[in-house]
Every structure is written in structure tokens, then in C-alpha cells.
Amino acid sequence: MTDAIIELKGVERHYVQGSRKLTILNNADFSLKRGEMVALVAPSGAGKSTLLHTAGLLEKPDAGDVLLAGRACGRLSDDERTAIRRNDIGFVYQFHHLLPEFSALENIMMPQLVRGLSVAEAQGRAAQLLDYMKIGKRAHHRPSELSGGEQQRVAIARAVANAPLVLLADEPTGNLDPVTASYVFEALEALVRQSGLSALIATHNHELAGRMDRRVTLAEGKVVTL
């Protein structure tokens, strides 16, 4: 069994703007080990989101392949990729994207219900995660009734509700003030470490990046270790 949970092998991603072809990923290689927490640090426009979306099977590579736990996924059908994302990959974004009409508890239940868990199972798991993130008392509040830090902790709990193999986060603390960002990252880090998750986290915060196992960046479309 491979030690890597995600591997990018010779991945290329191109976009066309008018008559121009923009190369974002250029024969990029990357490996995320099991239980590893890696910071992706790069300036805006360098391709961080493209790398995360490709690694997370939201975008297909134009060339090369993406392997998840040793399984080649780059050429799978949309339905197959959707099933893998639902079960094995958790996403956290800069904005929480919580469903406004549902409570914190219900937001975390949703992906579990889609996967086929019973209401009781989903509710129990959601309550445990909220307690773990230290916002159990806010379970029945809607997103508009939560602070920014609370909203993001709910989003993190939702991302791991189905016990994925890997967590991909795109500037998860980018909208928060420094104190709140540190507090949210501590909760995220504790969750990753204690659950054995693998995590690739894009961040502009060099202090937070320094707390991870290693840092990588993007240079001329390639993933480079810092």
C-alpha cells in the first residue's frame, strides 16, 4: 500500500483566454503522505486554487493523473469523481458556504444524509463534531447567528463529517482577524492530528504555515518544496 494519500503525476492545467493559452500547472508533481499536514503558500494568481481543485477531483487534468490512495482518478467519469469527493475528500473554503436556512447541526448532518446515514446517526456525529470544535452550545443557531470564527468551525466540521481520507482547504482563515484565525486553525490542526487525516492547506499566513509539517509553493506551474 502506497504511503501517499494523494499524488499528482505530471499534471497540466491550461485555460484559454481569447487567443491566449494560460498554463497554470505545468507537468506538476506532488505527493501528500498519510497523516501529513502541508501548507501551500503562493501569491494570488499562482494557481493555488487550481491545484486544490485538481487534487480534489473538481477539475480534470489536461495531462497527467491524480491518484487517491493509489487509485488513478484523472480519467474517471463525473459520477465516479463525485462519489469519491463525497466519501473521501473534505473541502474548506475561505467563505464558509453554509446553508443559511439550516442550523449548524443540520449543516453538518447534510453530507452524511446524502451518503445514506440515518438521521439519528448523522445527528449524533454532527453533535460530536460541534462539541469537539467547542461550539456545541451553538448547534441550533443558523449561520447568520454565528460569528465568523464559529461559522468557519462549522464548515470544518461539515468537511470532515463523512470521515474523509484527505482535507483540502483554500485559505480557511483568510476572512478572519489574526486572533480568530489562530483559534480556528488550532481547532483545525487538532482535528487533523487526532483523526489521522491528511491535509493540504493553502494560506497566506506564514505563521500558520510554519506550524504544519512542511511547506510547498508553486513556481512556473510546478510544485516546489520550501
Side-chain angles (χ1 to χ4, degrees):
M1 183 170 59
T2 177
D3 188 44
I5 199 67
I6 281 184
E7 292 177 274
L8 273 63
K9 294 188 173 182
V11 167
E12 297 189 8
R13 283 294 287 135
H14 311 289
Y15 300 100
V16 176
Q17 285 189 345
S19 60
R20 296 178 59 209
K21 177 182 176 182
L22 300 178
T23 297
I24 307 300
L25 299 177
N26 181 21
N27 196 30
D29 295 314
F30 173 70
S31 178
L32 178 66
K33 296 179 181 178
R34 294 175 184 272
E36 187 178 35
M37 197 172 188
V38 175
L40 173 58
V41 183
S44 297
K48 296 191 301 296
S49 294
T50 297
L51 177 63
L52 289 168
H53 290 172
T54 305
L57 309 184
L58 287 167
E59 298 182 19
K60 288 188 176 182
D62 296 305
D65 207 349
V66 178
L67 283 72
L68 179 66
R71 180 186 181 187
C73 299
R75 300 293 175 262
L76 295 178
S77 69
D78 288 342
D79 286 346
E80 289 172 315
R81 291 156 62 87
T82 297
I84 291 172
R85 288 197 305 270
R86 181 174 62 241
N87 297 329
D88 296 328
I89 302 173
F91 292 91
V92 182
Y93 298 96
Q94 184 170 350
F95 185 71
H96 56 77
H97 295 296
L98 298 174
L99 299 172
E101 65 272 30
F102 295 106
S103 69
L105 185 77
E106 291 166 338
N107 266 279
I108 301 169
M109 289 173 63
M110 287 298 173
Q112 300 177 76
L113 296 175
V114 171
R115 189 172 184 175
L117 271 69
S118 70
V119 171
E121 289 174 314
Q123 190 174 52
R125 168 81 170 156
Q128 286 179 339
L129 285 167
L130 284 170
D131 285 340
Y132 189 89
M133 300 299 283
K134 299 181 180 179
I135 48 173
K137 293 181 179 179
R138 310 289 278 168
H140 300 291
H141 289 70
R142 294 186 179 185
S144 62
E145 300 170 315
L146 303 174
S147 69
E150 289 170 339
Q151 290 169 346
Q152 203 63 337
R153 277 181 279 167
V154 174
I156 292 166
R158 181 183 59 183
V160 301
N162 279 336
L165 297 175
V166 63
L167 180 68
L168 302 174
D170 195 354
E171 297 287 350
T173 62
N175 279 336
L176 306 175
D177 65 81
V179 173
T180 304
S182 180
Y183 189 76
V184 169
F185 182 79
E186 284 178 8
L188 172 60
E189 183 180 21
L191 186 64
V192 169
R193 300 295 189 194
Q194 295 184 25
S195 65
L197 263 173
S198 303
L200 176 61
I201 301 174
T203 181
H204 281 107
N205 190 318
H206 289 274
E207 179 189 350
L208 299 184
R211 291 158 61 175
M212 299 188 222
D213 296 320
R214 60 187 173 100
R215 296 179 299 160
V216 298
T217 190
L218 284 161
E220 298 181 351
K222 298 185 186 300
V223 182
V224 180
T225 299
L226 291 171

